[in-house]
Amino acid sequence: MTGIKRILTLLTALLCCFSMQAQIADSVDVQHYDLTLDLSNNAPFHGKAVLTMQLLRPCHNISLDLSGTVDSMFIDGTRLPGTNISNIPTDGIAAGQTFTLTVHYRGSGYVENYGFGGIHFDNDMTYNLGAAFGDPLHSIGHAVFPCRDNYNDKATYTLRVKVKQGWSAECSGMLQSRSVDSDGCEHSVWQIEHPVPTYIVGISAADFHRIQTTAGGYPVTIGFTTQDSAVTANVYALLDAVVPKFEQSFGPYRWGRIGYVGTALGSMEHVNNIALARQAMASVTLNGQSTIAHELGHAWFGNLVTCETEGDMWINEGGATFTSEVAREATHGRRASDATYQQNLDKVIRETHHTDNGYRALHDMPHSYTYGSTTYDKGGLVWHSLRGYLGDSLFYATVRTLMERCAFSSIDAYRLRDSLSAYSGVDLTGFFDFHVFSPGFNNYNVSIGQGEGGQTPSNVSVTIRQTSVATDNLMRQNRVPVTFFGTNGERLKEWFAFSGTDTVVASHQLPFTPTFCVLDLDCEISDAATVDSVDVTGASGTVSTDMAFFAIRGKDAERHCRYYVEHHYARPTGIDTATGVLRPANRYWVVRAPIEYNKGLIGRFRYIRDGYFDSQYPHLDEHFYNKQASIDSIALLWRQNDGQPWQVVSLHRVGSKDDGNFLFENLITGEFTLAVVDTNLIAVNPAPLAIPGRQPLTAHLNLFPNPVHSGDSFAIEAPTDEPYSVTIIDASGRQAWHRDGCRNGDKIAPRLAPATYTVMIENNSISLTSKIIVL
């Protein structure tokens, strides 16, 4: 970016956060709400709202939102003739003039049909939840008080709350006073000194038990009714690590006090008064801890800098999802945080297009999907990916600048893009075009050419192929991390930058000769792939990777080493033209290790029938292996690298037809995928490489007599003196017969119906196939 362009972009970004109110097509700005709420008799409740307002332009009337009944209204002390809150006359008030509107009203106890947003009067508690999932307005402050109910009209607040005898209030803001009248009713006053939108103003009342503590130097109030005090106190000890981490990452906490209250329903980020579903209130589960952190993260993403419209709710909710990941890093370390991130990535790619009825862009989200998985989960992935794209130091410095310069304002995706570009000095147009303004995901496949004769430094050829999932677009302005490994344990991560293209070949110099490379080993770019690694030792049983749908049985492995496995949710290149392939899977594995071949090591590649009710990973093999497909025709395929032809290497599987694994013995490195194949057109070759210790592919397997009559015996002759297993496979790919411990010259007499069969023999040094005709 040129110097002039950067200056202009910076000025634009600086202005955007201070001129947003002028850009909103509205007539009035509410500057302060002074609310008196009598909740002592449940619903209907009585309220008095004094709104300090300013006209933004000359107009004859203004409109407020309220779910309730207006008894009377006054402007600057003068009573208005009507009670229509949707048509409040403002004749005689000049643009820019400040005035007060006083509304006496009765609240209905309104709750949206969805059952979440609104004000709830339960037997043991009164509380509001400020977000509506099903209503035309997602912001539902109007269930509690008359207001301009949107994300942009931010104001300060005074809350004066009366609750019934024996109960006490916990509300948004800082407590100013608390007293009890002659009837035993509590009166409390709360002050929100920074401007916030209506939907994050929270009130609650109950016979609360309270824990008063501190975190990061801030007072913490935890109000609850059903939890154990000691357990609850231990749960919120996580804030001791999380609050300083959040401030380090996103800037200072602006709200003076941290508050949580347990409610019967879901969670909501009310400033100083976070509502948590009771099951999460004292939860030590990952989900419970993530929810506690997520709602606190809204203190920056949403409460401090707010999405301008519901169509950009990913800024709020995706940002808060990302903060729960940062909290996990603070409490359990980066490795645990990466595991949480990859679980989210895997879920989004497999499931979100089902729950949200299609692949959706984050920006301009339709109303019905504002609070869907795309917004929350994919939104979190994009903030995570932006962290990787910029690098930790620059990313966090940029976000802190955003939170400082756009504090207490609202922003849309375009101004967010321009602001982050200006603050970082990195043009993020290509990043936002792909990740925010388009649906789908990108996928990278990386391979390298060998170094030149072991020289140091070594020049290597790095090939990166970009494909996309659920979109025809390719990302421009790519940055891809590749980790190289050398023969003596060397390891180095390099970033490769290139413009939008499907394939790029780069010549790169390394201080050592690499033997293999791994894409995105540190989980940084939120592409359509997860990555994991596993150690293989002679004592290993079956060891599973957490997110790669791959396992290794290393008990009989000849060599000890670490295997790296990428699991890609994309159709591998070249598979559509592979011989005998009828329907390929939309996923593949890349298996890399310091050695190409490990005798005795068994790789396990998982499949799950799409629609299998009990599956922990629904839609894993979507559109490939469904309820109507036959397991007998599925095969495991292999190739050494991108650009080479695919070949079938295994029909051997274990498990049920719904959930199982294809096995590959004496594991070799390379790329693997699954496909429905025509077994009449393919040959199964479990030894696709001419690896030392195995017979070359030109070795022959002789069967005699051939053809053979059904029920008669035949003998096998192979170029080995060692025992071997014999597997006979029918035309549909089903195992028809198997025996271990056979030797050359042994006669076998399997009961086979007339047909053509594949005979496969295998031991530690040979693996061959041949056809036999049974008459």
Side-chain angles (χ1 to χ4, degrees):
M1 186 185 296
T2 65
I4 294 176
K5 184 177 179 181
R6 287 186 59 186
I7 292 172
L8 291 175
T9 304
L10 178 59
L11 290 174
T12 300
L14 290 172
L15 289 172
C16 79
C17 291
F18 298 105
S19 61
M20 288 177 186
Q21 289 290 354
Q23 297 178 37
I24 300 165
D26 206 347
S27 55
V28 66
D29 171 33
V30 182
Q31 298 173 338
H32 184 75
Y33 292 89
D34 192 319
L35 305 176
T36 301
L37 303 173
D38 183 354
L39 306 177
S40 59
N41 294 310
N42 295 336
F45 65 92
H46 293 273
K48 174 186 174 184
V50 181
L51 286 68
T52 303
M53 313 172 77
Q54 184 183 61
L55 284 188
L56 299 177
R57 58 180 177 83
C59 58
H60 297 292
N61 56 70
I62 60 173
S63 174
L64 295 180
D65 303 300
L66 176 67
S67 292
T69 302
V70 175
D71 294 322
S72 59
M73 296 189 294
F74 301 80
I75 287 184
D76 289 338
T78 301
R79 183 166 184 159
L80 298 176
T83 59
N84 184 359
I85 202 163
S86 298
N87 187 11
I88 303 170
T90 55
D91 290 327
I93 301 176
Q97 180 179 341
T98 300
F99 63 98
T100 61
L101 171 69
T102 302
V103 182
H104 296 269
Y105 66 100
R106 285 165 286 150
S108 61
Y110 175 77
V111 176
E112 61 165 332
N113 288 335
Y114 190 90
F116 183 83
I119 182 167
H120 300 262
F121 291 92
D122 296 345
N123 290 332
D124 63 342
M125 189 175 187
T126 294
Y127 61 98
N128 77 307
L129 295 170
F133 293 157
D135 271 14
L137 288 176
H138 283 311
S139 179
I140 198 169
H142 59 86
V144 182
F145 57 95
C147 58
R148 295 295 294 149
D149 218 356
N150 58 53
Y151 302 116
N152 304 288
D153 197 343
K154 297 188 175 186
T156 55
Y157 295 76
T158 301
L159 307 177
R160 309 173 194 274
V161 182
K162 178 183 178 181
V163 300
K164 66 183 180 181
Q165 182 179 9
W167 282 21
S168 186
E170 287 295 332
C171 301
S172 288
M174 302 296 289
L175 178 64
Q176 305 299 302
S177 64
R178 198 189 294 270
S179 61
V180 178
D181 64 20
S182 58
D183 295 324
C185 295
E186 185 200 80
H187 297 255
S188 59
V189 180
W190 309 79
Q191 193 78 36
I192 305 175
E193 64 179 9
H194 295 304
V196 298
T198 55
Y199 77 102
I200 56 172
V201 176
I203 61 166
S204 60
D207 183 11
F208 281 121
H209 305 287
R210 290 188 180 89
I211 295 173
Q212 304 281 354
T213 184
T214 60
Y218 300 98
V220 178
T221 304
I222 304 165
F224 54 97
T225 57
T226 61
Q227 282 73 36
D228 178 87
S229 296
V231 172
T232 303
N234 288 335
V235 167
Y236 289 87
L238 71 92
L239 296 179
D240 290 334
V242 170
V243 173
K245 180 68 172 179
F246 279 5
E247 289 202 302
Q248 176 189 359
S249 302
F250 312 123
Y253 181 78
R254 305 294 190 103
W255 309 104
R257 175 180 68 92
I258 298 170
Y260 289 88
V261 293
T263 63
L265 295 177
S267 304
M268 181 67 207
E269 64 268 21
H270 306 130
V271 62
N272 306 117
N273 196 47
I274 294 168
L276 281 183
R278 285 169 180 161
Q279 60 266 33
M281 192 69 188
S283 174
V284 295
T285 66
L286 175 58
N287 186 57
Q289 299 277 283
S290 295
T291 301
I292 291 170
H294 175 108
E295 301 304 339
L296 179 61
H298 276 301
W300 291 267
F301 293 89
N303 297 3
L304 185 60
V305 177
T306 311
C307 61
E308 186 173 296
T309 69
E310 64 182 36
D312 275 321
M313 184 59 70
W314 73 274
I315 297 173
N316 295 17
E317 296 297 351
T321 297
F322 171 69
T323 67
S324 66
E325 192 182 298
V326 175
R328 183 73 172 167
E329 183 178 351
T331 56
H332 291 80
R334 181 64 189 266
R335 185 171 181 177
S337 173
D338 285 346
T340 301
Y341 149 75
Q342 289 211 104
Q343 290 170 2
N344 183 37
L345 173 62
D346 177 77
K347 183 186 76 170
V348 168
I349 299 174
R350 278 189 298 103
E351 299 185 42
T352 293
H353 59 287
H354 289 277
T355 59
D356 285 0
N357 288 320
Y359 294 91
R360 300 187 179 278
L362 287 169
H363 171 68
D364 202 21
M365 183 66 65
H367 177 84
S368 298
Y369 302 101
T370 300
Y371 292 102
S373 176
T374 303
T375 294
Y376 280 77
D377 301 318
K378 187 178 180 184
L381 295 179
V382 169
W383 283 105
H384 175 103
S385 192
L386 184 61
R387 173 187 179 181
Y389 193 83
L390 295 176
D392 276 16
S393 179
L394 182 56
F395 169 76
Y396 285 121
T398 299
V399 172
R400 289 193 299 270
T401 303
L402 176 79
M403 296 297 171
E404 174 65 32
R405 296 186 180 178
C406 298
F408 313 114
S409 297
S410 22
I411 198 168
D412 69 3
Y414 293 99
R415 288 197 294 275
L416 177 65
R417 174 198 64 193
D418 295 341
S419 298
L420 295 175
S421 294
Y423 304 150
S424 66
V426 177
D427 184 1
L428 296 174
T429 303
F431 182 93
F432 269 71
D433 282 349
F434 189 89
H435 289 294
V436 176
F437 300 126
S438 298
F441 306 86
N442 55 2
N443 180 70
Y444 302 103
N445 202 85
V446 180
S447 59
I448 58 172
Q450 293 296 323
E452 295 179 353
Q455 297 176 358
T456 303
S458 175
N459 290 315
V460 296
S461 174
V462 182
T463 301
I464 304 176
R465 185 191 297 270
Q466 181 187 185
T467 57
S468 57
V469 178
T471 178
D472 293 329
N473 298 328
L474 291 176
M475 183 173 167
R476 296 176 292 117
Q477 298 170 299
N478 297 273
R479 293 190 73 238
V480 179
V482 180
T483 301
F484 298 93
F485 292 82
T487 55
N488 298 314
E490 303 96 334
R491 174 171 164 173
L492 179 66
K493 180 174 71 177
E494 297 280 13
W495 285 82
F496 291 83
F498 57 96
S499 61
T501 181
D502 63 345
T503 305
V504 62
V505 180
S507 178
H508 194 70
Q509 192 172 81
L510 295 174
F512 57 86
T513 299
T515 57
F516 68 98
C517 67
V518 178
L519 169 69
D520 194 25
L521 181 59
D522 297 321
C523 306
E524 296 174 280
I525 60 174
S526 297
D527 59 340
T530 55
V531 63
D532 211 336
S533 63
V534 59
D535 276 319
V536 173
T537 70
S540 299
T542 299
V543 184
S544 298
T545 56
D546 290 334
M547 291 311 307
F549 303 100
F550 175 81
I552 285 179
R553 179 170 176 79
K555 183 178 180 181
D556 300 316
E558 184 178 58
R559 301 278 296 277
H560 299 177
C561 70
R562 175 173 286 270
Y563 279 77
Y564 298 85
V565 185
E566 304 165 18
H567 180 256
H568 294 253
Y569 278 108
R571 179 170 294 194
T573 59
I575 193 67
D576 294 303
T577 58
T579 301
V581 169
L582 302 178
R583 187 169 63 251
N586 291 317
R587 61 188 184 99
Y588 66 96
W589 295 266
V590 178
V591 180
R592 299 297 184 208
I595 56 175
E596 287 187 332
Y597 163 65
N598 201 342
K599 181 179 178 182
L601 185 65
I602 301 175
R604 300 166 63 95
F605 299 83
R606 192 169 182 182
Y607 63 85
I608 298 177
R609 182 189 290 263
D610 190 24
Y612 175 41
F613 181 76
D614 292 330
S615 172
Q616 183 182 357
Y617 302 101
H619 313 298
L620 178 66
D621 284 314
E622 181 180 28
H623 303 314
F624 156 64
Y625 177 40
N626 54 35
K627 289 184 290 186
Q628 287 74 39
S630 169
I631 185 65
D632 301 320
S633 57
I634 298 179
L636 180 70
L637 292 84
W638 171 92
R639 67 180 178 185
Q640 182 62 33
N641 270 313
D642 185 20
Q644 296 181 350
W646 290 96
Q647 51 188 298
V648 175
V649 292
S650 179
L651 298 173
H652 186 195
R653 63 176 179 86
V654 293
S656 72
K657 67 180 186 303
D658 295 314
D659 189 340
N661 294 274
F662 276 90
L663 303 186
F664 188 86
E665 298 182 8
N666 302 321
L667 185 66
I668 57 176
T669 59
E671 299 180 10
F672 294 83
T673 191
L674 302 173
V676 175
V677 299
D678 184 342
T679 53
N680 288 318
L681 298 178
I682 59 98
V684 181
N685 187 359
L689 283 180
I691 298 171
R694 284 197 173 191
Q695 294 292 329
L697 297 182
T698 55
H700 294 290
L701 175 64
N702 295 317
L703 310 174
F704 55 90
N706 188 7
V708 63
H709 288 280
S710 178
D712 289 351
S713 62
F714 64 92
I716 301 173
E717 184 180 272
T720 179
D721 295 326
E722 299 176 1
Y724 48 76
S725 64
V726 178
T727 303
I728 300 177
I729 301 165
D730 66 18
S732 66
R734 183 187 294 109
Q735 178 178 299
W737 189 85
H738 178 83
R739 178 177 293 173
D740 293 322
C742 296
R743 289 182 177 272
N744 280 337
D746 288 353
K747 290 187 176 183
I748 59 175
R751 294 181 178 273
L752 301 173
T756 299
Y757 295 86
T758 298
V759 178
M760 177 173 65
I761 73 162
E762 188 171 18
N763 59 23
N764 288 332
S765 63
I766 195 168
S767 182
L768 296 171
T769 63
S770 185
K771 298 286 187 180
I772 190 166
I773 300 173
V774 179
L775 302 175

